[in-house]
Amino acid sequence: MEKRLTLPLTDHDILGLQAGDAVLLTGTIVTARDRAHQWLMDSFIQPITIPDQADLAALDHLKSYLDHGVIYHCGPVVRTYPDGSYKVTAAGPTTSLRQELYTAEVMHFFHLKGVIGKGGMGERTLQACQDERAVYFHAVGGAASLLATSVRRVLGVYQLEFGMPEALWVLEVKDFPVIVTMDAHGNNLHASIKAISSAALQRLYNKKS
Amino acid sequence: MLDITQKLVELIRLASTSLPDWVENRLRAARETELPGSPAWNALDAISRNVGLSRQNSTPICQDTGTPSFYIQQPVDWPQAGLTQQVRAAVTQATHLGYLRPNAIDPLTGVNSGDNQGGETFPELHFRQADGSRLVIDLLLKGGGCENVSAQYSLPDTRLGAKRDLEGVRRVVLDAVFQAQGQGCAPGFLGVAIGGDRAGSYAIAKQALLDWPDVVNPNTELAALEDGITGEANDLGIGPMGFGGKTTLLGTRIRAAARLPASYFVSVSYMCWAFRHRRMVIENGQVSYE
């Protein structure tokens, strides 16, 4: 049975989640992937460039969405209509591990309560989940049309100059289906499966064909 | 020369939004082997529902529509330059219609071209002159997630105890599946090349994916290795999305190619479950799609 949670999330919500729990998320999420993470890092978190006024204005808005909120590792397909409105038609997760370099810092900076992606993340993110009281939510990779039906509205878009997949899309979602695979208690489903499959691989090697 | 731009747009729409029946059937059959209510079953069930929804609404099965890769066998009366122009026009149009995500990014400036045009190599076009009068165009949409977990090994491989023989091939291919875990969107399909040079080996591994669903490996030893690898990979317990379970791979295809004395490459092209492959055939002005 799925748990229903509404964003922004509280520490209480997070501590009640265990790896393996199915969750339906409702509220506002923000997409961010490779380019966005590097931009956040290089402009604001560990600045190596001086952000301009537009960057700072975007950051202010993003902070309001991301405080106790959730980042979604996703590069959606978005249709633009003549009146300037948007519709998300395909929005599955992208591989999260590429954001391992940034996620602990991004979580801390925005007070994130979670990230949504696929494939799981590494030790630094698992530690950050414990430190920041956050979780890793896994969405089904490739289920883009299905997940797009949970996106009710596009509330805004930032850094569209990064291109459609790499921009930060602010999405209102309803009952967005995910599974907790890394929790705030140090459990990591991906590490367990890796250990099981590693042992199985050694057995296959010993057997020979 | 006939203008087939709109037929090509339809080929792209089909590839992006309508998964081939044989792939869908394998995914459905895989779901039945998993424990109902388990994360593996739920993932395969979501995948099945997604496939139906994408076909019904003509929306991309996966938002990552990959590098559009066209494999074209053209008779002499279909000039390559004209076909290239029409394929490019169709790709741009399909992008504006939302069947393809704009995916071509300049690696130096970071600028996304917005229309899937990225110079000489994007979209990817492979031409082969064909006898007869049939124009055959295969389109493969392979996303970045599964491309990133594709791998190449140079045998012998000391770490894996892989010598230059089929047992060595087995060991490195199973390692590739292990390394991929769920990252390539399992359950996946493998195209494998034994031999070739670095670039050629990867290209052949990717093209081996086009052997589905009809071509059976004429080499019985390789055919047995294909089945053996698929079966053993499913014993790894990685499962759909890496959630654990019985279904990690849905099939393997192996091709062999001449190698140099010093080189023995084994390349693994990992295709995610969203195996978006469609074929268009034009003969005597009649267009058909597979």
Side-chain angles (χ1 to χ4, degrees):
Chain A
M1 195 58 201
E2 299 104 340
K3 292 186 176 179
R4 284 196 150 77
L5 290 178
T6 304
L7 297 153
L9 299 172
T10 64
D11 283 2
H12 180 77
D13 292 332
I14 293 300
L15 293 174
L17 293 174
Q18 300 283 338
D21 286 352
V23 177
L24 298 172
L25 290 172
T26 295
T28 304
I29 63 175
V30 180
T31 71
R33 50 177 297 166
D34 307 73
R35 185 88 186 270
H37 278 78
Q38 197 171 342
W39 169 69
L40 291 170
M41 197 69 143
D42 291 351
S43 305
F44 312 114
I45 301 174
Q46 290 170 4
I48 55 170
T49 57
I50 299 164
D52 60 22
Q53 284 307 312
D55 286 331
L56 291 168
L59 179 67
D60 268 354
H61 288 122
L62 290 169
K63 275 185 168 168
S64 69
Y65 294 121
L66 290 176
D67 187 26
H68 287 69
V70 168
I71 275 179
Y72 182 22
H73 299 153
C74 169
V77 177
V78 185
R79 307 249 358 225
T80 309
Y81 293 95
D83 65 354
S85 65
Y86 296 111
K87 183 174 169 60
V88 173
T89 58
T94 190
T95 308
S96 297
L97 203 55
R98 296 192 309 272
Q99 312 321 326
E100 181 66 10
L101 182 62
Y102 311 112
T103 294
E105 285 78 5
V106 170
M107 271 186 171
H108 182 69
F109 184 78
F110 285 108
H111 313 293
L112 288 185
K113 287 288 128 191
V115 294
I116 308 170
K118 76 173 173 82
M121 298 192 72
E123 282 302 318
R124 290 186 76 234
T125 301
L126 186 65
Q127 187 60 50
C129 285
Q130 291 161 265
D131 296 343
E132 306 293 329
R133 297 193 166 172
V135 297
Y136 179 82
F137 295 111
H138 199 300
V140 173
S145 295
L146 186 69
L147 292 167
T149 61
S150 295
V151 178
R152 291 303 158 95
R153 250 179 350 136
V154 176
L155 298 178
V157 58
Y158 297 93
Q159 307 311 106
L160 193 52
E161 64 268 30
F162 293 170
M164 182 198 290
E166 301 270 8
L168 297 100
W169 295 92
V170 183
L171 308 178
E172 185 185 300
V173 298
K174 181 157 187 348
D175 293 336
F176 191 90
V178 289
I179 294 178
V180 177
T181 56
M182 295 163 64
D183 64 25
H185 313 290
N187 300 306
N188 181 354
L189 179 72
H190 304 282
S192 313
I193 298 295
K194 193 159 190 182
I196 289 166
S197 54
S198 176
L201 183 64
Q202 289 316 311
R203 282 198 298 277
L204 290 173
Y205 281 171
N206 294 338
K207 185 182 88 183
K208 294 200 171 165
S209 64
Chain B
M1 180 180 175
L2 210 61
D3 183 356
I4 57 165
T5 308
Q6 295 316 310
K7 310 294 180 197
L8 286 160
V9 172
E10 174 61 9
L11 174 67
I12 297 167
R13 187 193 70 81
L14 272 174
S16 175
T17 68
S18 179
L19 200 67
D21 286 344
W22 72 270
V23 179
E24 193 176 2
N25 291 340
R26 282 194 197 192
L27 286 163
R28 287 235 170 87
R31 183 184 60 188
E32 299 319 309
T33 68
E34 302 288 356
L35 189 67
S38 66
W41 190 94
N42 286 332
L44 288 167
D45 188 59
I47 284 169
S48 277
R49 283 186 286 137
N50 180 62
V51 168
L53 205 58
S54 303
R55 187 175 293 128
Q56 186 189 317
N57 298 340
S58 268
T59 51
I61 296 163
C62 176
Q63 75 290 339
D64 187 355
T65 53
T67 309
S69 302
F70 293 87
Y71 297 84
I72 301 172
Q73 302 168 55
Q74 87 278 15
V76 281
D77 52 340
W78 288 90
Q80 196 170 314
L83 279 170
T84 300
Q85 206 173 27
Q86 293 186 21
V87 167
R88 285 190 177 275
V91 164
T92 295
Q93 206 175 318
T95 308
H96 293 145
L97 290 167
Y99 303 139
L100 296 177
R101 187 179 69 180
N103 264 359
I105 298 167
D106 185 309
L108 303 181
T109 63
V111 173
N112 188 319
S113 70
D115 58 3
N116 274 308
Q117 304 299 329
E120 195 68 24
T121 53
F122 203 114
E124 199 184 300
L125 287 101
H126 305 266
F127 286 98
R128 202 175 74 202
Q129 187 84 64
D131 294 331
S133 59
R134 270 160 59 95
L135 171 70
V136 181
I137 302 180
D138 281 278
L139 170 59
L140 183 67
L141 301 177
K142 186 174 186 299
C146 63
E147 193 62 12
N148 285 347
V149 298
S150 295
Q152 190 171 66
Y153 297 83
S154 178
L155 273 51
D157 185 308
T158 309
R159 182 178 69 88
L160 299 173
K163 296 180 217 160
R164 292 179 162 188
D165 52 25
L166 292 188
E167 168 59 16
V169 173
R170 166 185 173 260
R171 293 174 90 90
V172 299
V173 174
L174 287 173
D175 182 66
V177 176
F178 167 72
Q179 297 295 343
Q181 293 288 303
Q183 312 266 344
C185 281
F189 298 81
L190 301 184
V192 177
I194 307 172
D197 69 355
R198 280 214 184 268
S201 190
Y202 264 129
I204 294 161
K206 190 170 168 186
Q207 282 185 36
L209 295 168
L210 303 179
D211 285 352
W212 270 297
D214 305 324
V215 183
V216 176
N217 203 320
N219 180 317
T220 52
E221 213 178 348
L222 289 185
L225 185 60
E226 289 172 349
D227 291 342
I229 285 172
T230 304
E232 290 189 322
N234 287 330
D235 289 338
L236 291 175
I238 294 167
M241 289 300 131
F243 290 165
K246 294 176 183 148
T247 322
T248 300
L249 269 195
L250 293 173
T252 306
R253 284 288 199 239
I254 305 177
R255 283 189 187 180
R259 63 177 180 85
L260 294 176
S263 304
Y264 193 114
F265 294 114
V266 177
S267 304
V268 181
S269 182
Y270 193 111
M271 182 74 217
C272 60
W273 67 257
F275 191 160
R276 288 152 291 168
H277 171 209
R278 287 282 177 174
R279 176 176 298 163
M280 178 172 104
V281 178
I282 302 186
E283 194 168 22
N284 304 323
Q286 294 294 310
V287 184
S288 60
Y289 297 96
E290 291 167 25

